[in-house]
Amino acid sequence: CRVAAMGDDARRFYGVQFHVEVTHTPHGRQILSNFVHDICGCGQEWSAGERVATLEEQVRRASRNRRVFFFVSGGVDSTVAFTLATRALGRERVHGAYIDTGFMRQGETQEIAAAFRGLGYDLEVVDASDQFFKALDGVAEPEAKRQIIGDMFIAVQDQAIARLGWGDDWVLGQGTIYPDTIESGGTKSSAKIKTHHNRVGKVEEMIRAGRVLEPISELYKDEVREVGRKLELPKELIERHPFPGPGLAIRCLCCQAEGIAEAIPPIQGYAAVRLPLRSVGVQGDFRSYAHPTLLWGGLRTHGMLSEVSSLITNTQRESNRVTYLLGCRVHQASRVWRAHPALLTRERITVLQEADGRVRQWLRDENLTAAVWQFPVVLLPLAADQSAGETIVLRPVESEDGMTAHVAPLDFAALDRLTARLMELPALDAVLLDISHKPPATIEWE
Ligand code: XMP
């Protein structure tokens, strides 16, 4: 743009047109710091060292002697929030419940229950998977899925409170972090990108009634991890890749009508089609729901793929995401990319769990777990011919806070080994690599 930043030194007015707060802006923190400290003259009155004590004090004040019912997912956010609340209020007043929604990863429920037992917490494990699958029966639209999942958490909470016999004297504890609030349209100047499970209507009502306790709602992910380290939580819990509250339900794409991919002109040596499915993205600060592009052939380097991915999303607004073909069961000459009706079923989630489990095992085998910030594995109801085959998308990203992300440039030879392991699964027709940054794509596909 013509004016990216401007200032009037005499009147001390300054403005920028870009996002200084995102981690991919070079010197962004310095710009913010200059503004806050040098221009506005604010001091720095807190330090990370005092943070735990401050957060605990806030918990004590906000809870006003009431008991706390906490949903714990095993992710770093809810673990840190739950630990802060327990330290501040004592174990007798904080109840932790882990909900098995049916959308957890392979073996995850057992792993998390064991990790919490190791910390000396007696976590209640609730198998609510039947209820979740039933409530989502027939639902394909991403925001509808999110709403239903959020409402189901509240229904499960009500059932648990009734079992505990707590009456009305309690609050709901959540591990909401700052980006969840922004992306749910919860700040004055943010558009709704998606509804987080901890920001559905019923939770909003409870917030207005002062019945929600969110100890880390003003922190970003990297800050949450730092607090977790101060709390001396085990590394396995702090360094876990982020996993969304709605779990695999937002990584299992649903589709209600059949559709065939549309061929588009080749671009920079890559053959291309526009996929007959839609995924969520974030373009110009707003949510988009658009068709991903699929490329194959051409040069297999991250530099070139990144360039062509940006070129496509910048010039073809109807596409918010670009993928690259890593492997396919069907020979190119007889390939027809076809989306087919498919919903959230136990069978499909099992396929996704198996694929996700193989990806995590491969990350460990290749010593790559720490090389990525997060690695969603997504299931698409996309066949490469007339079959009911499905497609897996790999989404390895580098990020600091999830607000922006880059593709993690994993070695293609290693990705080929992973593709071979995935293609052993009989339900799968193809494996794709998501080569889009956020923005314009989001990390999850929904
Ligand atoms: P997107 O897809 O918006 O995701 O780029 C940004 C980060 O947020 C995580 N995410 C969630 N986390 N509840 C959560 O606790 C949710 O509903 C939710 N949705 C997305 C996502 O995994 C990524 O790390």
Side-chain angles (χ1 to χ4, degrees), residues 199-218:
R199 278 287 177 275
V200 292
K202 287 187 184 154
V203 174
E204 298 279 10
E205 267 168 43
M206 292 182 71
I207 292 175
R208 281 193 293 276
R211 303 278 311 259
V212 177
L213 179 77
E214 296 182 322
I216 52 170
S217 62
E218 288 178 359

Side-chain angles (χ1 to χ4, degrees), residues 375-408:
F375 197 147
V377 177
V378 185
L379 186 73
L380 311 182
L382 180 71
D385 59 14
Q386 292 306 317
S387 72
E390 307 234 27
T391 292
I392 282 289
V393 183
L394 307 174
R395 177 69 167 134
V397 291
E398 284 176 345
S399 178
E400 230 167 279
D401 53 21
M403 298 294 289
T404 55
H406 281 163
V407 177

Side-chain angles (χ1 to χ4, degrees), residues 146 183 194 196-197 244-246 373-374 402 438 442-444:
R146 282 183 168 275
E183 294 199 327
K194 60 170 170 279
H196 277 244
H197 66 291
W373 187 79
Q374 193 180 19
K438 173 185 180 178
T442 45
I443 296 176
E444 307 287 352

Side-chain angles (χ1 to χ4, degrees), residues 317-383:
R317 300 290 287 184
E318 59 281 19
S319 195
N320 59 1
R321 202 183 275 280
V322 184
T323 60
Y324 184 73
L325 184 65
L326 290 177
C328 184
R329 183 182 57 76
V330 180
H331 191 267
Q332 200 194 309
S334 27
R335 238 177 251 160
V336 182
W337 293 107
R338 192 178 58 85
H340 47 80
L343 294 162
L344 276 173
T345 58
R346 280 197 189 266
E347 293 71 36
R348 294 190 73 220
I349 290 292
T350 306
V351 172
L352 180 51
Q353 281 171 332
E354 179 63 40
D356 179 72
R358 287 182 183 220
V359 173
R360 284 192 301 154
Q361 186 56 48
W362 166 85
L363 280 171
R364 288 189 289 270
D365 294 349
E366 306 256 355
N367 217 357
L368 287 171
T369 306
V372 292
W373 187 79
Q374 193 180 19
F375 197 147
V377 177
V378 185
L379 186 73
L380 311 182
L382 180 71

Side-chain angles (χ1 to χ4, degrees), residues 18-88:
F18 52 95
H19 286 278
V20 281
E21 78 283 11
V22 305
T23 52
H24 291 113
T25 298
H27 308 300
R29 285 207 180 206
Q30 187 65 49
I31 297 173
L32 275 176
S33 165
N34 291 348
F35 180 74
V36 172
H37 300 301
D38 302 346
I39 296 173
C40 301
C42 298
Q44 181 166 337
E45 285 155 6
W46 55 270
S47 73
E50 295 156 13
R51 201 159 222 182
V52 169
T54 312
L55 290 168
E56 285 178 14
E57 185 46 40
Q58 285 168 358
V59 168
R60 275 190 286 272
R61 244 183 290 133
S63 76
R64 289 193 275 125
N65 279 325
R66 292 168 293 180
R67 286 195 267 216
V68 187
F69 179 88
F70 235 104
F71 281 129
V72 178
S73 68
V76 58
D77 304 345
S78 62
T79 305
V80 167
F82 172 75
T83 309
L84 281 169
T86 311
R87 281 170 50 124

